[in-house]
Structure formats: structure tokens, C-alpha cells
């Protein structure tokens, strides 16, 4: 993404993006959004941009659709960064059929179609699960088997909407070959500080100055 002063950058998604932004860590949270803002300031001190965090813990893509206009598009973002999907996957495993991979992709497609006419750039982040695997028949095993259905949907949407892609599932799969998963997350869904910092660094690497 080519940035210049005056741009608005809007992050949205679920608890990974939220990271306490509506409580003690207002307004950017205590995760990758805050780290990205700090890294961006350090790397490009001449750049003056506005950064907004609209993630809400527990959100699925359908929750995001319910608030898309009010919470996201109304901010008039130049660069929109979206991470959503792990809650869809887990609730689908729990029997919520309207959050199937097919429904996830269809609803996500609608959101991107509405956004792409109003923003300069969109970055999609794949949902991820920071784990090396688990015993067959466990919940972790079920998540890892289903996850490609959601990550592949994001990859297809990236192509359809000419968006940028941060493939965090692939990235974390590579990282946990070198270090224990607990180096990046105490449980597979929510990164720790090292995990969030890695995410922020991946985003920073995609930035250029206009």
C-alpha cells in the first residue's frame, strides 16, 4: 500500500483486532494495530496518518456486515485492513450452519464489493490457528482440517477484488517449525505480544510512501 500524509487507515475484525481497544487500551487496543501504528511512526516519522481500530471481540463476518456502514465505511478509509473468520469457523463447528465456509465467502464478498468503490486499497488477512497439530478427533484437529476452507476463501476474494493479502496462516505455519507455538500464542487463536508484533511487522513490510 502506498501511503501519504492525510490518509485514514481502518482496521476491523474480531477480538484479535479489538485487543481491548474499548476498555483499558482505548482506542487502538494492545495488539497488532497499536504495534503497527508505533512501527509506522518509527519507520516514517514524516508521515501523518489517522489510524482507527473497529474490531469487536466475538464478531463473525455476519456481525461485521451488520455494522459495516456505520463502523467502517463511515470513517472514509483510504486503506482498509480486515481480519475475520476464526469465530465463523468455530461456531460452524458448534452447529451454526449459516456460518459455513460458503456463507462466509458469500457475505465477505458482499462487504468487499461495497467497500472497493470507496477506498484506495484493501488488505485481507487470513484467519489463522497457531498450532502444529493435535491428536485425531480433538477440537484442534477439527479446526485445522476445516481452516483451509476459510483461508482459501480469503485467497479467492483477494484475487476477485484486487486486494492485498497477508497470509498469516502460512506465515505462522512456518514460524512454528522453528519455535514452539507458545512463543507466539498461549493458545492457538489469540497471539501474545510476539505474535502481534509479527503481524504488525508483516503489515509494515507492505507499506510504501506515495
Amino acid at each position: 500500500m502506498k501511503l501519504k500524509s492525510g490518509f485514514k487507515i481502518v482496521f476491523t475484525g474480531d477480538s484479535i483486532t479489538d485487543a481491548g481497544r474499548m476498555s483499558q487500551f482505548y482506542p487502538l487496543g494492545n495488539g497488532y494495530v497499536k504495534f503497527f501504528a508505533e512501527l509506522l511512526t518509527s519507520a516514517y516519522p514524516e508521515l501523518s496518518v489517522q489510524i482507527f481500530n473497529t474490531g469487536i471481540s466475538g464478531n463473525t463476518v455476519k456481525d461485521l456486515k451488520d455494522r459495516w456502514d456505520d463502523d467502517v465505511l463511515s470513517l472514509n478509509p483510504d486503506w482498509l485492513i480486515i481480519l475475520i473468520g476464526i469465530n465463523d469457523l468455530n461456531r460452524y463447528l458448534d452447529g451454526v450452519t449459516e456460518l459455513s465456509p460458503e456463507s462466509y465467502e458469500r457475505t465477505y464478498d458482499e462487504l468487499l464489493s461495497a467497500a472497493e468503490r470507496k477506498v484506495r486499497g484493501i488488505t485481507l488477512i487470513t484467519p489463522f490457528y497457531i498450532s502444529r497439530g493435535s491428536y485425531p478427533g480433538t477440537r484442534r484437529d477439527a479446526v485445522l482440517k476445516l481452516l483451509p476452507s476459510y483461508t482459501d476463501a480469503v485467497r479467492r476474494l483477494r484475487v476477485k477484488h484486487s486486494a492485498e493479502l497477508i497470509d498469516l496462516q502460512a506465515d505462522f505455519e512456518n514460524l512454528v517449525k522453528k519455535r514452539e507455538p507458545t512463543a507466539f500464542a498461549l493458545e492457538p487463536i489469540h497471539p501474545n505480544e510476539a505474535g502481534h508484533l509479527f503481524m504488525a511487522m508483516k503489515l509494515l513490510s507492505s507499506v510504501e510512501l506515495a
Side-chain angles (χ1 to χ4, degrees):
M1 183 65 193
K2 292 185 177 181
L3 295 183
K4 64 181 180 180
S5 290
F7 270 23
K8 291 181 180 179
I9 305 171
V10 176
F11 291 79
T12 198
D14 52 33
S15 59
I16 302 168
T17 301
D18 182 333
R21 61 105 179 174
M22 291 189 289
S23 55
Q24 68 267 40
F25 301 113
Y26 179 84
L28 295 183
N30 194 37
Y32 77 99
V33 179
K34 182 192 78 169
F35 293 157
F36 171 80
E38 293 172 348
L39 289 171
L40 188 68
T41 298
S42 299
Y44 303 106
E46 72 277 24
L47 190 66
S48 177
V49 299
Q50 291 180 279
I51 297 178
F52 300 88
N53 183 345
T54 67
I56 293 182
S57 181
N59 263 197
T60 67
V61 75
K62 288 187 177 295
D63 297 316
L64 200 52
K65 181 180 179 180
D66 287 343
R67 61 189 186 88
W68 194 241
D69 288 338
D70 288 345
D71 287 3
V72 179
L73 298 187
S74 67
L75 293 171
N76 297 312
D78 294 287
W79 185 16
L80 177 58
I81 302 162
I82 311 166
L83 170 57
I84 197 78
I86 196 64
N87 291 322
D88 301 72
L89 182 156
N90 275 294
R91 292 180 194 171
Y92 179 63
L93 283 177
D94 290 334
V96 184
T97 56
E98 61 265 30
L99 296 176
S100 67
E102 295 77 18
S103 178
Y104 168 78
E105 184 170 0
R106 184 167 55 251
T107 304
Y108 209 158
D109 187 24
E110 293 172 7
L111 300 185
L112 295 174
S113 294
E116 65 185 353
R117 299 186 296 270
K118 300 182 179 183
V119 303
R120 296 174 185 265
I122 298 173
T123 295
L124 307 182
I125 302 175
T126 58
F128 56 83
Y129 199 69
I130 305 173
S131 175
R132 287 179 177 167
S134 186
Y135 293 107
T138 63
R139 178 72 175 209
R140 288 194 182 200
D141 185 56
V143 170
L144 288 168
K145 286 180 178 176
L146 185 58
L147 184 56
S149 298
Y150 290 84
T151 54
D152 286 347
V154 176
R155 295 174 186 126
R156 286 191 294 270
L157 291 169
R158 174 261 179 137
V159 174
K160 180 175 181 179
H161 294 278
S162 301
E164 298 297 323
L165 180 72
I166 302 292
D167 195 339
L168 279 182
Q169 177 57 22
D171 291 332
F172 279 123
E173 285 177 2
N174 287 327
L175 286 179
V176 300
K177 292 175 183 177
K178 304 171 184 176
R179 294 287 297 271
E180 291 295 325
T182 51
F184 307 102
L186 295 182
E187 42 80 17
I189 293 176
H190 298 97
N192 59 18
E193 286 193 358
H196 275 288
L197 183 58
F198 175 77
M199 294 169 66
M201 290 170 62
K202 290 290 294 186
L203 279 167
L204 184 69
S205 71
S206 71
V207 169
E208 299 178 25
L209 296 189

